[in-house]
Amino acid sequence: MENVPGMLAGATRAVLDDAVARFESYGYRVVHPVRVLDASLFGVPQKRRRLIVMGIREDLPGTLEYPDGPPDSFPDRPTVWEAIGDLPDVDADEELFALNNARYTKKPASDYAKLMRGAMLDPADFSYPRNWDGSHCTGCLRVRHTPSAIALYTATRAGDMVPGHKLPRLDPAGIAPTLRAGSDSTHGSYTAPRPIHPHRPRCITAREAARLHGYPDWFDFYPLKWHAYRQIGNSVCPPVARALGMSLMKALELEPTRPTKTLVMNDEYRLPPERPRSLKRIPQVLHFPPVIAHLFADRFNDERQTLTNGKFTFEEVKRAVGETGVQLTWIRPDTFLSEISRSRNVRKLLDPCLRRGYTIRKCNDKKYIGEFVPVGHEEGIEVKAKADRSSSISRRRKDVARGQKPLFT
């Protein structure tokens, strides 16, 4: 099991201890003490600490131990520039604002770079050999920065944090900080903080991030930048994963053998033809109210001015979307009401039911996702949204009172 080191502290420590106790009650020998491994000690040019829990079945005779580092044949940990310096110079190619592939123009200057490009064999690598076009690499799609951002990045020295941003400018002679993944739509849709290139006023490409994570260049990521950064930031560094795998094989008393089959890689990333081409920004005040009105009308008796069975399921939401013809194609059971509550126009979105004296609260049971309740209900989503905004503003005021700069001016 792999997770963040914070699992060892605070309230989550009790959860971890309980999980380990359960593993042991199910017949596993868990290695104690549970350890945090740092990828930078496994040949990866990144300071990345992760909690690893390892265990083996009690009926197996082998002894399981944590790995201490990569095999002797793995190159010494490179610096940032030794890891990415031979990658294509994307700044010289305007087409890379639209294209994802770029040709190599430099020779690898370090053993690590040679290994990533397949120009050097690692005797301890027992994965399938890959047959791929080594003349170019993917993950080179550029980001279009504003002039003010470019000026800010230019003025930031290598190794320093960009003022006003949670972005480090990479030190070419050092190693990278932890590469993060950002979050999906259910957790705020935060874009992954992408470090700034050590010599160029731009964030690093997905391929540069992959090099700093320990991925070989034949490994392909989803071609959209946001998804590629998430895939990289969410993953265990491959050299660390390989060291863990070797420890497991040793405990199972298995000798790795080199496969004879070679896997042929595609020349391009083949996206499914039925994928959505893009998610258009939907005007919320145009498309949410008709759905709310449809759901409410099904439950409200105009003659008696009463509401019966105020709860509704996600299937009913989808039916309302279809019958009203609105463009809410991306909604899921866990996002429909969250999108409404996060909106600055939450009262406008709920207007069809607010005018009748009702609001909506979230339901936590398996069948229903929401329920119409009288206005003023403490769990009403517009009441909770207002409380969240108030607490956020008060926190900012406290920060300013302590002499910190305000987040917004």
Side-chain angles (χ1 to χ4, degrees), residues 214-250:
Y215 278 101
D217 290 4
W218 58 257
F219 196 99
D220 221 351
F221 299 91
Y222 197 85
L224 297 183
K225 297 185 293 290
W226 188 81
H227 288 285
Y229 279 106
R230 275 189 64 200
Q231 287 179 312
I232 296 166
N234 274 327
S235 65
V236 176
C237 294
V240 178
R242 192 173 85 175
L244 291 167
M246 294 297 286
S247 292
L248 292 170
M249 291 192 72
K250 184 178 180 181

Side-chain angles (χ1 to χ4, degrees), residues 145-348:
H145 295 296
T146 63
S148 59
I150 293 173
L152 192 60
Y153 299 157
T154 302
T156 304
R157 295 183 303 179
D160 287 352
M161 297 294 290
V162 178
H165 295 61
K166 293 182 178 180
L167 299 172
R169 185 160 198 189
L170 296 174
D171 180 356
I175 63 173
T178 302
L179 300 182
R180 294 162 58 193
S183 61
D184 59 19
S185 60
T186 62
H187 296 86
S189 294
Y190 295 113
T191 301
R194 307 164 192 173
I196 305 305
H197 193 276
H199 300 305
R200 302 287 189 178
R202 61 166 174 83
C203 64
I204 59 174
T205 64
R207 178 53 57 194
E208 289 163 344
R211 278 283 188 93
L212 298 174
H213 212 72
Y215 278 101
D217 290 4
W218 58 257
F219 196 99
D220 221 351
F221 299 91
Y222 197 85
L224 297 183
K225 297 185 293 290
W226 188 81
H227 288 285
Y229 279 106
R230 275 189 64 200
Q231 287 179 312
I232 296 166
N234 274 327
S235 65
V236 176
C237 294
V240 178
R242 192 173 85 175
L244 291 167
M246 294 297 286
S247 292
L248 292 170
M249 291 192 72
K250 184 178 180 181
L252 295 171
E253 300 180 348
L254 298 174
E255 285 293 330
T257 56
R258 195 171 303 282
T260 56
K261 179 182 177 181
T262 297
L263 301 183
V264 179
M265 309 300 291
N266 291 329
D267 290 335
E268 60 181 352
Y269 196 108
R270 300 185 184 278
L271 296 175
E274 68 277 7
R275 77 189 190 282
R277 299 297 170 176
S278 62
L279 289 177
K280 296 180 180 178
R281 186 175 293 275
I282 304 298
Q284 292 179 329
V285 293
L286 208 61
H287 296 286
F288 271 103
V291 176
I292 301 299
H294 193 285
L295 292 169
F296 188 74
D298 285 346
R299 288 157 178 76
F300 191 76
N301 188 311
D302 283 315
E303 293 183 3
R304 299 180 180 178
Q305 292 293 296
T306 57
L307 187 74
T308 57
N309 188 21
K311 292 185 176 181
F312 54 87
T313 65
F314 184 63
E315 291 302 317
E316 290 175 302
V317 172
K318 290 197 294 185
R319 186 161 57 248
V321 169
E323 293 179 2
T324 56
V326 299
Q327 298 177 20
L328 298 179
T329 56
W330 79 93
I331 56 171
R332 303 195 307 263
D334 56 341
T335 62
F336 176 67
L337 293 179
S338 297
E339 289 285 341
I340 296 175
S341 64
R342 285 203 301 261
S343 173
R344 296 178 180 177
N345 299 306
V346 58
R347 296 192 67 85
K348 290 183 179 180

